[in-house]
Amino acid sequence: MGRVAAKPFSQPAVTLALIAAHGLTEEEHRKIVHLLGREPNYTELGVFSVMWSEHCSYKSSRVHLKLLPTEGKAVIQGPGENAGIVDIGDGLCAAFKMESHNHPSFIEPYQGAATGVGGILRDIFTMGARPIASLNSLRFGSFDHPRTRYLLGGVVAGIGGYGNCIGVPTVGGEVFFDESYNANILVNAFTLGIAEKRRIFKGTAKGAGNPVMYVGAKTGRDGIHGATMASEAFSEESEKRRPTVQVGDPFTEKLLLEACLELMKKNWLVGIQDMGAAGLTSSSVEMAARGGAGIELELSRVPLRETGMTPYEILLSESQERMLLVAKKGQENQVKKIFERWDLDAVVVGKVTKDRTFRAFFGGAEVAAIPVAALTSEAPVYHRPAERPATQDELQRLELEKVPQPEDLGVVLKQLLDSPNIASKEWVFRQYDHLVRSNTVVGPGGDAAVIRIKGSHKALAVTVDGNGRYCFLDPYVGGILTVAESARNLACVGARPLGLTDCLNFGSPERPEVMWQFSQVIQGMRDGCAALGVPVVSGNVSFYNETDGVPIYPTPTVGMVGLLSKVQRHVTPWFKSAGDLIVLLGRTREELGGSEYLKLVHGSVKGTPPWIDLRLERAVQESCLKAIEKGILRSAHDVSDGGLAVALAECCIGGPEKSLGARIELREMMRPDALLFGESQSRIVVSVKEKDLGRLRDIAAKEGAPLQILGEVGGPRLAIQPLLQLPVEELRAAWAGALERRLRRDEG
């Protein structure tokens, strides 16, 4: 490969202090010396620091992640690539992934969230899929915290600003507030795309002599050591890390998306990879590792937007809207023409080699030479100590008889509907374009979003779910419940799950109690996936979500995708007509542990989360699915945060049309607050025409799902006899404007 002259580059001396500043331990330094047979130079030290970071290497989580089931009849591509892929029939497949952008979003909320969206979009179209929908899972601190309003506003604006400009609808998500996230918010971004099965592309470098091409935007100094920053805990110094937050340009990303998809229609491409965390370094190294090859780069050829950048900076920059691809030899000019037509840089910066070594040159001088395996398969793998906290028993002890019962259950229901965790999130999602591309059938506000597959009768349903409070109280059960609720939300719209992606947000893995939480959550997710037949096809681990030694709640979030064979059969949560019967599928137990009611009304996070019988869960979901497929159900809504009373209220007031009341009669013998506000699992509230009740009974009986007639739709009130009755418009007023009331209060 021809060399390009560049200014001489003098590499600083590598000292013990410099090694520590790069987040590497003394033991890791010794291993690097052993693998290289010498001391690394400064640039090589930077390469090792990002590739061996927790964010890129999964060195603390890899041994646990192997437990998750990753195979299924629909799975085309499982973990290990830029995104997972499942078969959706008719020669098409769906690619999807979820990623975290937590630390950058806390430091610079607009750009942190925006570039999180941009990164996950690139993960999808690098597989050859056109993105069709995005969702997000957000966690903020308490509204009493002085930064919550600023962070909420910035993150939501960043998500909307990037997604709206690039023309991919943001169709759903979740937002949760708790003091556990005061100093460490979570921003998890999910994107779904559709591709032809015959045109799937992977991040692979093969064929010695094939050109390695840099395409997209120019490289700057933004984002340097972003992967390393994401692999360390926060402190009071974190505000000084703004230079490590990338800056996004959605208009350039739109050009890059279209140029890549146009290129993918040709026969010129060997492999392609997003330059995400660790930028040019990780993309080139990971492509070489997957292809069993080496890569040689001439860094002086990289298009730059800043002067005087060193090889170290070029390799570690996380500037956005960039891709690395391997083209077939002789097709370089054809590739360049496509990107030039989209006004993007396309430059040959290297070639594939046989020696399985990552080599970087700068103006002809070699600045790095590292075996690819040393950066990937031979990276450290830790079996970190895991220990159940001594406080866990006390945390799980909840004596219901000592929990005072409220005098006015109607007041409590309004309190819950006013809670920012339950209240309408319209203030958030009205800032997102959820209708662009005209495929959105069910947008934000339902149990799951539904996206039409154009040219067919099918649709895809997507949801993101998680409950850190449950996982804090019992991480094993919490892991199961996260999977179960996601699948239940899909069932409520009529979709059968195809696969899931996860984003696992935890504190420092160096803490035995955090590793215990992590291992327990993984085991719970494994058992939930196995019982419900849902494979894990992609995912992300985000450790070090803690500040000054205080970790967040263990918060796994799950993004699940399901298929509806007939889009016209989809169901929404809201009651449709007066006179319809209201039916509960599932069983209510007397349990309040971990509930929103217990935290909001009694200020307590204690007990165990609601228990789950996975056979019952499957029976309830299957009953709901079969009833929808037969056209029986008028509505279906998962019972989750806030319990049965909140679910019923949401069915009355949550829809886009006029509110409808309901007359309910409950006869269970248990304490009233548990009956109304307990969060027993495996429950779905459905409505049917009276003539279809018998058919629904038959389906539920065959599947083994309990069925209880609760009442009927109609009237101006939600009356739950003998416990409460309130005008539905009063309930809507409490629920609809709760977020905005808090934001206005903060402004005042």
Side-chain angles (χ1 to χ4, degrees):
M1 180 177 68
R3 307 291 180 213
V4 175
K7 296 175 74 173
F9 169 62
S10 176
Q11 304 213 51
V14 174
T15 64
L16 291 177
L18 192 62
I19 291 164
H22 278 73
L24 294 163
T25 66
E26 291 182 18
E27 181 183 349
E28 288 170 343
H29 171 234
R30 287 193 293 271
K31 184 169 183 176
I32 290 169
V33 171
H34 171 72
L35 290 169
L36 290 178
R38 58 177 171 79
E39 283 283 348
N41 64 36
Y42 176 65
T43 301
E44 291 168 336
L45 182 69
V47 169
F48 272 106
S49 75
V50 292
M51 292 305 298
W52 284 16
S53 69
E54 196 72 60
H55 190 76
C56 290
S57 74
Y58 289 68
K59 57 190 175 185
S60 299
S61 59
R62 202 180 303 175
V63 294
H64 299 283
L65 297 175
K66 290 178 181 178
L67 296 175
L68 294 172
T70 59
E71 297 180 355
K73 62 181 181 180
V75 177
I76 295 173
Q77 175 64 56
E81 266 291 344
N82 292 290
I85 300 180
V86 294
D87 193 338
I88 59 175
D90 301 322
L92 299 176
C93 56
F96 56 96
K97 176 81 176 290
M98 185 156 55
E99 284 272 5
S100 61
H101 232 224
N102 304 334
H103 285 32
S105 299
F106 183 79
I107 294 170
E108 176 47 68
Y110 184 95
Q111 290 296 348
T115 53
V117 173
I120 198 65
L121 285 164
R122 290 193 300 278
D123 280 341
I124 299 308
F125 69 76
T126 193
M127 303 296 292
R130 178 174 289 280
I132 62 166
S134 291
L135 295 87
N136 49 74
S137 174
L138 311 177
R139 300 287 187 282
F140 297 97
S142 163
F143 264 100
D144 295 331
H145 192 273
R147 278 176 60 88
T148 294
R149 179 179 175 275
Y150 161 72
L151 292 168
L152 171 64
V155 165
V156 171
I159 291 169
Y162 206 101
N164 296 352
C165 290
I166 199 171
V168 176
T170 301
V171 297
E174 58 169 2
V175 188
F176 190 86
F177 300 86
D178 190 275
E179 55 266 29
S180 164
Y181 309 101
N182 278 353
N184 241 109
I185 66 172
L186 302 183
V187 176
N188 295 174
F190 169 102
T191 292
L192 166 74
I194 291 182
E196 296 179 54
K197 282 174 63 177
R198 63 190 180 92
R199 291 192 185 275
I200 295 172
F201 293 86
K202 299 184 180 182
T204 303
K206 290 182 178 180
N210 278 332
V212 176
M213 299 186 69
Y214 171 116
V215 301
K218 289 179 169 58
T219 293
R221 289 187 171 94
D222 53 321
I224 293 174
H225 273 298
T228 309
M229 179 191 70
S231 305
E232 59 188 31
F234 271 171
S235 68
E236 292 180 0
E237 300 296 307
S238 297
E239 277 294 303
K240 300 176 182 178
R241 303 299 296 272
R242 286 181 187 272
T244 63
V245 177
Q246 309 93 324
V247 178
D249 179 357
F251 299 105
T252 299
E253 178 112 336
K254 174 64 173 172
L255 299 176
L256 183 62
L257 185 160
E258 298 299 342
C260 287
L261 292 180
E262 181 179 336
L263 172 63
M264 288 165 174
K265 293 177 182 177
K266 311 297 183 181
N267 193 29
W268 305 334
L269 199 55
V270 175
I272 184 168
Q273 173 99 352
D274 163 39
M275 287 193 221
L280 183 57
T281 293
S282 63
S283 55
S284 54
V285 168
E286 290 171 3
M287 290 181 79
R290 293 189 190 108
I295 273 190
E296 181 179 304
L297 300 175
E298 175 50 74
L299 301 179
S300 57
R301 294 181 181 272
V302 172
L304 304 178
R305 68 168 184 259
E306 298 185 46
T307 59
M309 288 187 69
T310 65
Y312 179 100
E313 292 172 323
I314 294 168
L315 282 171
L316 271 60
S317 168
E318 294 184 8
S319 293
Q320 296 292 285
E321 294 87 40
R322 304 178 301 158
M323 309 285 274
L324 194 70
L325 61 87
V326 175
K328 292 181 179 178
K329 193 171 184 178
Q331 301 298 334
E332 300 93 324
N333 288 333
Q334 300 283 11
V335 173
K336 285 181 182 180
K337 286 179 182 177
I338 287 178
F339 285 89
E340 285 171 359
R341 191 158 58 250
W342 291 97
D343 201 23
L344 296 168
D345 284 308
V347 181
V348 175
V349 295
K351 65 182 179 182
V352 180
T353 61
K354 292 180 179 179
D355 63 0
R356 302 192 178 194
T357 300
F358 169 76
R359 297 184 189 275
F361 295 84
F362 191 62
E366 189 172 80
V367 294
I370 307 171
V372 169
L375 297 168
T376 53
S377 60
E378 295 186 66
V381 176
Y382 294 132
H383 296 257
R384 297 206 184 263
E387 184 178 332
R388 188 176 190 267
T391 56
Q392 201 71 26
D393 285 340
E394 178 57 32
L395 188 65
Q396 292 182 344
R397 186 173 294 115
L398 175 64
E399 299 176 58
L400 276 181
E401 63 274 11
K402 294 184 179 179
V403 177
Q405 297 200 45
E407 293 181 6
D408 190 330
L409 295 166
V411 168
V412 172
L413 176 56
K414 287 198 291 184
Q415 276 184 274
L416 284 166
L417 293 172
D418 179 68
S419 162
N421 293 332
I422 290 174
S424 168
K425 305 305 186 294
E426 186 179 357
W427 179 87
V428 174
F429 64 69
R430 76 182 177 206
Q431 299 182 53
Y432 306 150
D433 187 340
H434 56 271
L435 295 174
V436 63
R437 301 194 66 82
S438 69
N439 296 324
T440 307
V441 179
V442 178
D447 287 316
V450 178
I451 312 298
R452 180 186 296 104
I453 303 172
K454 278 187 175 160
S456 78
H457 297 292
K458 298 178 181 178
L460 292 171
V462 283
T463 182
V464 291
D465 296 286
N467 191 313
R469 193 184 292 156
Y470 286 171
C471 294
F472 174 63
L473 294 172
D474 189 324
Y476 172 75
V477 175
I480 295 177
L481 298 185
T482 301
V483 173
E485 181 173 1
S486 292
R488 199 181 315 131
N489 281 333
L490 293 185
C492 285
V493 298
R496 293 186 176 274
L498 295 173
L500 70 82
T501 182
D502 57 48
C503 201
L504 309 174
N505 307 276
F506 289 78
S508 169
E510 297 164 45
R511 297 179 181 277
E513 63 271 24
V514 170
M515 283 313 298
W516 175 77
Q517 292 172 336
F518 184 80
S519 65
Q520 289 288 300
V521 162
I522 292 294
Q523 291 175 50
M525 290 179 63
R526 173 201 63 194
D527 291 349
C529 287
L532 298 174
V534 187
V536 179
V537 300
S538 59
N540 168 246
V541 177
S542 176
F543 278 132
Y544 294 99
N545 290 289
E546 61 178 61
T547 298
D548 295 329
V550 180
I552 63 164
Y553 283 159
T555 311
T557 57
V558 162
M560 196 176 291
V561 175
L563 182 68
L564 292 87
S565 58
K566 294 181 179 179
V567 64
Q568 68 270 24
R569 291 287 198 201
H570 78 274
V571 168
T572 55
W574 311 294
F575 294 145
K576 303 298 186 296
S577 301
D580 287 348
L581 296 182
I582 302 167
V583 175
L584 178 68
L585 296 173
R587 182 180 295 114
T588 301
R589 296 158 50 102
E590 189 172 76
E591 48 194 349
L592 287 173
S595 64
E596 181 72 10
Y597 160 77
L598 195 66
K599 171 70 188 295
L600 185 70
V601 176
H602 299 287
S604 177
V605 179
K606 291 202 71 175
T608 55
W611 187 246
I612 185 168
D613 177 341
L614 283 165
R615 288 174 297 183
L616 175 61
E617 179 70 46
R618 187 156 192 156
V620 168
Q621 290 188 26
E622 192 63 27
S623 297
C624 184
L625 283 165
K626 287 186 174 173
I628 291 174
E629 288 166 355
K630 292 183 181 298
I632 295 171
L633 298 190
R634 304 271 285 156
S635 69
H637 186 31
D638 168 38
V639 180
S640 57
D641 296 347
L644 181 60
V646 165
L648 288 165
E650 289 171 338
C651 292
C652 291
I653 64 178
E657 299 174 0
K658 183 180 176 182
S659 300
L660 284 168
R663 297 178 290 274
I664 306 295
E665 190 165 340
L666 298 178
R667 294 193 175 91
E668 283 85 346
M669 300 298 293
M670 66 177 72
R671 50 182 293 159
D673 55 352
L675 178 59
L676 291 179
F677 311 123
E679 296 174 5
S680 294
Q681 297 294 291
S682 312
R683 294 185 297 169
I684 298 175
V685 171
V686 303
S687 63
V688 295
K689 288 186 175 295
E690 188 172 3
K691 68 181 180 61
D692 292 322
L693 178 61
R695 297 168 69 197
L696 179 61
R697 280 190 193 277
D698 290 344
I699 291 170
K702 185 176 180 180
E703 298 300 329
L707 181 151
Q708 176 187 357
I709 300 173
L710 297 179
E712 69 176 55
V713 178
R717 296 173 175 268
L718 172 61
I720 305 178
Q721 303 294 356
L723 303 174
L724 63 83
Q725 57 174 319
L726 289 165
V728 290
E729 290 308 322
E730 197 173 311
L731 298 176
R732 182 189 279 275
W735 172 82
L739 274 185
E740 288 179 87
R741 282 195 295 273
R742 283 170 174 79
L743 291 167
R744 285 199 300 269
R745 194 181 311 152
D746 289 347
E747 288 171 351

